[in-house]
Short mmCIF file of all heavy atoms in Angstrom, two decimals:
data_model
loop_
_atom_site.label_atom_id
_atom_site.label_comp_id
_atom_site.label_asym_id
_atom_site.label_seq_id
_atom_site.Cartn_x
_atom_site.Cartn_y
_atom_site.Cartn_z
N ARG X 10 155.41 178.26 122.24
CA ARG X 10 156.05 178.03 120.96
C ARG X 10 156.58 176.58 120.95
O ARG X 10 157.54 176.27 121.65
CB ARG X 10 157.19 179.02 120.74
CG ARG X 10 157.80 178.93 119.34
CD ARG X 10 158.74 180.10 119.08
NE ARG X 10 159.51 179.94 117.91
CZ ARG X 10 159.19 180.34 116.69
NH1 ARG X 10 158.03 180.95 116.50
NH2 ARG X 10 159.98 180.18 115.65
N ALA X 81 155.99 179.99 98.69
CA ALA X 81 156.86 178.86 98.33
C ALA X 81 156.18 177.94 97.34
O ALA X 81 156.79 177.42 96.42
CB ALA X 81 157.27 178.10 99.59
N LEU X 162 139.06 167.71 111.78
CA LEU X 162 140.16 167.72 112.72
C LEU X 162 139.66 167.79 114.15
O LEU X 162 138.78 168.62 114.46
CB LEU X 162 141.05 168.94 112.53
CG LEU X 162 142.07 168.98 111.40
CD1 LEU X 162 142.83 170.30 111.41
CD2 LEU X 162 143.04 167.79 111.51
N ASP X 255 125.32 186.88 99.43
CA ASP X 255 125.95 187.78 100.40
C ASP X 255 126.28 189.06 99.68
O ASP X 255 125.92 189.27 98.50
CB ASP X 255 127.15 187.15 101.09
CG ASP X 255 128.32 186.85 100.15
OD1 ASP X 255 128.30 187.40 99.03
OD2 ASP X 255 129.19 186.10 100.51
#
Side-chain angles (χ1 to χ4, degrees):
R10 187 169 169 91
L162 280 181
D255 65 17

